[in-house]
Amino acid sequence: VFGQSAKNKHPKNQGKTNQAYHKKVKPKGLKMKEREPVDSSSKSQSILMQVMDKGRFQKLTATLSLSAGQSIELRCKGSNVTWSYPSYLDTFKDSRLSIKQLDRYGQLILTNSTAADTGEYSCWLQLCSANKCRKDETKTGSTYIFFTDKEELFVPTPSYFEIVYLNPDRPAVIPCRVTNPSAKVTLHREFPAEEIETDETNIIYDAKKGFVYQHPTSDHKGIVYCKAESQGAPQISIKYHLLYVEVPRGPPSATIVASPSRAKVSDGVHVACTVLGEPDVDVNFSWQYPGQELERPVIIQNFWRLINRGTGHTTRISKSVLVIEDFEARDAGNYICIAQNLQGATTVATRVELN
């Protein structure tokens, strides 16, 4: 501790002299204890600290609670620090947030905090060589900060209504996060009006995430909302529309159709590539066609929409349409569509003949 004098490890002996202290002792084959090897990959070192008043520092634990309106300064030791924080601060280019890299540490300052600033704040060192950088997994720091506000028990969101997709193969989150970790939060169905029981097994509540459905089923679909109480009148969250997804996760399931498949010179031709998939999974399309190298003019239109199967199941239809307005002989041949999502790619093809 700073400010205290160090204690003398060998205090002066008073009175009797300790004879054993000066006696030479013959070693008796003392075995040195072998030091166990340290797995540096599994040992991580927290580099995140909070700057307190009067120049003091405090290492941060997994969570921190501050009152909305307070400012906070975080520091991460290192000469090449990267930060992560609630994404909306970037979205709105908030001037309250300042990030700087100094010689020995990275600095994050957030002033005039609000309930909306509640979230995860983390940092890590970057190891760079030959224009490539990677995260140093052994030197990181993270904390979840609650900016408590009795007028805003729920973390504010930009919308008043949100869609949550229920996939049978992974947990679903109703993101009604709170600004006060001690608030009592319950989940409610709008119709029929009832509280949904949380059994801490299939449905659990996490103040950092919201309510988590561990194994979603079609029975969970519908409109729900959250209610929070903390020393005052209860507050209601926005509403969440839970839609059940029937299409399993995987590479796109694509089909391709040409209309017409036999065309005359100067005809118009449409080639449509269609994918049925999960509502929240984006699909990217690319094309290969006969007139591509010749730079033949084509129009490519991409769009998608959600369809309800009528049983509470929701599917996303993604479509790419290649249009030739003035067909020529050199446009005849194979039209190839490549549809790709995060799980993989699917290639489908059709042929357009000259009539």
Side-chain angles (χ1 to χ4, degrees):
V1 180
F2 294 106
Q4 293 184 0
S5 60
K7 293 182 180 179
N8 189 350
K9 292 184 179 179
H10 303 292
K12 292 182 179 179
N13 294 312
Q14 297 179 354
K16 287 187 178 181
T17 301
N18 189 343
Q19 298 296 331
Y21 183 78
H22 299 285
K23 186 178 180 181
K24 293 183 179 180
V25 180
K26 185 179 180 180
K28 298 180 179 180
L30 184 64
K31 292 183 179 180
M32 296 295 291
K33 184 178 179 182
E34 292 184 1
R35 181 179 293 177
E36 296 180 359
V38 177
D39 183 2
S40 60
S41 64
S42 63
K43 186 179 180 181
S44 62
Q45 174 187 357
S46 178
I47 59 173
L48 179 62
M49 292 181 295
Q50 179 186 2
V51 180
M52 310 298 288
D53 58 348
K54 298 180 181 178
R56 293 185 301 113
F57 296 90
Q58 174 177 294
K59 281 197 172 183
L60 290 170
T61 55
T63 60
L64 173 67
S65 291
L66 298 173
S67 296
Q70 284 186 262
S71 297
I72 184 171
E73 179 181 347
L74 303 178
R75 289 187 184 181
C76 266
K77 292 184 289 184
S79 59
N80 190 5
V81 173
T82 300
W83 292 90
S84 176
Y85 42 85
S87 59
Y88 93 97
L89 287 169
D90 267 342
T91 304
F92 298 104
K93 296 181 180 179
D94 205 313
S95 60
R96 298 177 301 118
L97 178 69
S98 168
I99 291 180
K100 295 179 181 179
Q101 177 64 58
L102 289 90
D103 290 340
R104 297 184 179 181
Y105 60 88
Q107 178 194 61
L108 182 151
I109 297 178
L110 180 65
T111 59
N112 300 321
S113 63
T114 69
D117 298 324
T118 296
E120 192 84 25
Y121 292 77
S122 60
C123 63
W124 59 90
L125 286 188
Q126 288 274 62
L127 298 177
C128 298
S129 61
N131 298 324
K132 290 185 179 180
C133 294
R134 62 181 177 86
K135 180 178 180 180
D136 186 348
E137 298 290 349
T138 65
K139 294 182 179 179
T140 64
S142 179
T143 188
Y144 190 98
I145 305 178
F146 295 93
F147 290 100
T148 62
D149 185 344
K150 63 181 180 180
E151 303 298 328
E152 296 273 11
L153 288 182
F154 289 107
V155 179
T157 60
S159 62
Y160 295 96
F161 191 83
E162 196 169 315
I163 293 176
V164 175
Y165 297 108
L166 305 175
N167 296 272
D169 60 344
R170 63 181 184 270
V173 178
I174 290 83
C176 51
R177 299 181 297 128
V178 289
T179 62
N180 186 340
S182 63
K184 179 186 176 183
V185 188
T186 52
L187 182 63
H188 299 259
R189 190 183 304 278
E190 187 176 57
F191 183 82
E194 60 183 5
E195 181 178 337
I196 300 173
E197 295 293 332
T198 55
D199 53 13
E200 298 303 320
T201 302
N202 292 315
I203 304 177
I204 62 175
Y205 184 72
D206 183 337
K208 299 179 186 178
K209 298 179 180 179
F211 284 97
V212 182
Y213 285 76
Q214 299 284 31
H215 307 286
T217 69
S218 60
D219 294 336
H220 294 138
K221 65 181 182 289
I223 296 177
V224 301
Y225 61 90
C226 304
K227 181 187 291 187
E229 295 181 62
S230 177
Q231 301 177 349
Q235 296 181 23
I236 303 298
S237 73
I238 66 171
K239 293 180 180 179
Y240 301 92
H241 192 176
L242 311 187
L243 299 176
Y244 188 73
V245 178
E246 64 175 335
V247 179
R249 173 181 280 194
S253 174
T255 58
I256 188 168
V257 176
S259 178
S261 58
R262 298 184 65 88
K264 298 177 183 178
V265 173
S266 77
D267 277 356
V269 175
H270 292 65
V271 185
C273 187
T274 305
V275 169
L276 296 180
E278 297 180 83
D280 54 347
V281 175
D282 290 329
V283 178
N284 296 316
F285 294 96
S286 58
W287 288 90
Q288 297 173 10
Y289 51 92
Q292 196 165 20
E293 292 185 0
L294 301 174
E295 297 185 355
R296 283 281 291 143
V298 298
I299 300 171
I300 297 176
Q301 300 172 322
N302 298 327
F303 54 93
W304 63 269
R305 62 188 177 93
L306 298 178
I307 60 170
N308 193 324
R309 297 281 187 179
T311 58
H313 294 184
T314 303
T315 301
R316 172 170 169 157
I317 295 181
S318 301
K319 185 174 285 191
S320 181
V321 180
L322 184 149
V323 179
I324 300 174
E325 295 182 325
D326 189 7
F327 189 80
E328 295 183 3
R330 53 184 171 172
D331 294 320
N334 293 322
Y335 286 74
I336 301 170
C337 169
I338 300 102
Q340 186 167 8
N341 63 17
L342 293 177
Q343 279 69 51
T346 301
T347 300
V348 289
T350 189
R351 188 169 181 82
V352 178
E353 303 282 0
L354 177 64
N355 197 350

